[in-house]
Amino acid sequence: MRRLVLPVVLFLSACNQPDSDPASRSSTGASASPTVDPLASRDGTPDAFPDSQARPLMQAQVVLDRLGFSPGVIDGKEGLSTRNALAGFQEANGLPVTGTFDPATWEVLGRWQVIPATRVVTIPEDFARGPFAEVPDDPADQAAMPALGYASLDEKLAERFHTSVETLVTLNPGGFPAGSPEAEAAIASAKPAPAASQSPSGEATAHFRAGQQIRVPNIGNDRVDPASVDDAGWLLSLVMLGIGSTQPRVERVIVSKAKGTLKAFDAGGQLVAAFTVTTGSRHDPLPLGQWKVNGIARNPKFHYNPDLFWDASPGDEKAMLPPGPNSPVGIVWIDLSKPHYGIHGTPEPRSIGRAESHGCVRLTNWDAARLAQMVGPGTRVDFVA
């Protein structure tokens, strides 16, 4: 994702309110949704060739992500989001909450050891078509765009498989899936990964292309039932983010300022999901208290009012920003009863849990989309210290 330059929150510790007009919810700047997602997981179907590495940490991240305990960006590294995911998984399974891969946790995770860390997919023509365009930093220039979509196929693939472009490049030496004869030959000859290229129009064409076979993190829980989603734009977003349309129903959400986590509980009090979030800063602390979900705006437009931002650039003017995954609030806004506050996505997934927000609760786009499938009007949301 591009670096986030535009501030996305209000001066008084509040996010700016997106436009909840239903007409704005279907415009994402992407192509039509396929009836069957060719990139969806195919458990039980072996790859033509096995991965060249076991990748146990990535395999654990894949399992945690499938179960709703999000490790954030799946990269095979044990970072903050993975530790938070482990802590949530441990709590849900009655294990000592250590946030580490201790022996007891490895033993329980072993129930899903048959799930490979990675799989090989072929990039569909429709998926690779775009449109792609770099998102400018200036709000006025952003407002002139039809959508704040993906800048490149690389970026789109990384979001689809809950990972980073760097991880995808690592999984595909020389541009071929790790474990394939071509990849082994590229490694033996020390052939570098293909450099990202650019089209004559200035669009980034990236490392990957339509029809290419690549190895990706084996994310699952990505089945989308078109009959269960009545918003065409949201259906497309779920497919593009690899988020299944069927998720557990949540009655209570707890956001912890100190831990930087969001936990979701069902009607029986069982922890069913946990995400790493960014919750605020010294300028805009998280508003502690008990709130509730008012509603959900999917693929919302975004009102940018520089008068309401303490860190707005001089000369900025009011603007209505179009929807898209690179919107300041990502692909969804979960509106709360605390005026001007919400839970939303981000154009910068690697910043979650690390960079400060300005009061609202930010998640990766794929985690925000998943949470939006779990909550609804009236869901209780507690902001705690």
Side-chain angles (χ1 to χ4, degrees):
M1 286 292 202
R2 69 184 184 91
R3 182 175 300 279
L4 180 62
V5 176
L6 176 66
V8 300
V9 292
L10 293 182
F11 175 70
L12 295 176
S13 308
C15 292
N16 202 353
Q17 181 73 32
D19 182 1
S20 59
D21 178 2
S24 72
R25 298 178 186 176
S26 298
S27 177
T28 60
S31 56
S33 173
T35 302
V36 177
D37 179 11
L39 296 176
S41 56
R42 299 287 187 268
D43 292 342
T45 303
D47 289 336
F49 36 82
D51 196 349
S52 58
Q53 298 181 34
R55 308 185 200 274
L57 284 178
M58 184 174 288
Q59 195 271 345
Q61 289 178 323
V62 162
V63 170
L64 291 167
D65 182 85
R66 285 174 173 235
L67 296 175
F69 302 98
S70 175
V73 175
I74 296 176
D75 56 7
K77 300 175 183 178
E78 191 175 346
L80 171 66
S81 294
T82 297
R83 292 192 293 271
N84 287 339
L86 279 170
F89 175 80
Q90 290 162 340
E91 179 181 341
N93 285 275
L95 297 168
V97 179
T98 65
T100 63
F101 286 104
D102 53 52
T105 301
W106 276 123
E107 181 178 358
V108 177
L109 284 171
R111 299 172 186 169
W112 296 276
Q113 63 183 352
V114 297
I115 296 174
T118 64
R119 67 176 183 265
V120 175
V121 301
T122 300
I123 302 172
E125 292 283 346
D126 286 350
F127 187 93
R129 189 173 297 130
F132 302 114
E134 290 287 346
V135 177
D137 294 334
D138 187 82
D141 293 334
Q142 292 179 9
M145 300 183 72
L148 298 179
Y150 294 114
S152 68
L153 176 57
D154 281 6
E155 182 183 51
K156 188 176 181 181
L157 283 166
E159 282 243 309
R160 173 59 181 82
F161 295 103
H162 307 179
T163 190
S164 65
V165 174
E166 293 79 6
T167 300
L168 289 177
V169 170
T170 298
L171 290 175
N172 296 277
F176 300 99
S180 67
E182 296 86 352
E184 296 305 308
I187 293 172
S189 63
K191 181 180 178 181
S197 57
Q198 198 171 61
S199 70
S201 65
E203 294 180 358
T205 54
H207 298 89
F208 304 105
R209 65 187 184 280
Q212 182 180 2
Q213 274 195 326
I214 62 170
R215 188 170 293 282
V216 298
N218 187 27
I219 66 164
N221 196 3
D222 56 356
R223 300 285 187 233
V224 178
D225 176 13
S228 68
V229 183
D230 59 5
D231 180 324
W234 186 240
L235 174 66
L236 176 58
S237 293
L238 293 176
V239 172
M240 292 299 174
L241 292 168
I243 295 299
S245 53
T246 300
Q247 300 291 339
R249 192 66 183 173
V250 165
E251 295 294 328
R252 185 185 182 196
V253 168
I254 299 178
V255 176
S256 170
K257 175 182 176 182
K259 296 179 180 179
T261 58
L262 183 154
K263 294 181 180 180
F265 299 84
D266 65 16
Q270 174 66 31
L271 178 64
V272 296
F275 309 100
T276 294
V277 297
T278 301
T279 62
S281 70
R282 61 185 178 87
H283 293 286
D284 302 298
L286 186 73
L288 304 184
Q290 181 178 320
W291 318 106
K292 66 178 180 179
V293 173
N294 280 342
I296 301 171
R298 299 168 176 86
N299 294 313
K301 295 179 181 179
F302 182 78
H303 294 275
Y304 175 61
N305 183 352
D307 295 337
L308 303 175
F309 293 89
W310 61 267
D311 51 358
S313 298
D316 278 358
E317 297 183 356
K318 293 180 180 180
M320 174 68 80
L321 307 188
N326 269 324
S327 162
V329 293
I331 49 76
V332 67
W333 170 271
I334 301 173
D335 192 49
L336 301 179
S337 56
K338 173 70 173 175
H340 306 299
Y341 280 84
I343 302 171
H344 60 84
T346 180
E348 196 66 49
R350 280 189 160 177
S351 71
I352 298 301
R354 294 165 177 81
E356 294 181 330
S357 79
H358 296 70
C360 287
V361 177
R362 289 192 288 119
L363 304 90
T364 64
N365 276 336
W366 55 87
D367 288 342
R370 191 167 194 171
L371 182 65
Q373 295 297 102
M374 298 178 173
V375 301
T379 301
R380 175 176 168 178
V381 179
D382 294 345
F383 289 170
V384 301

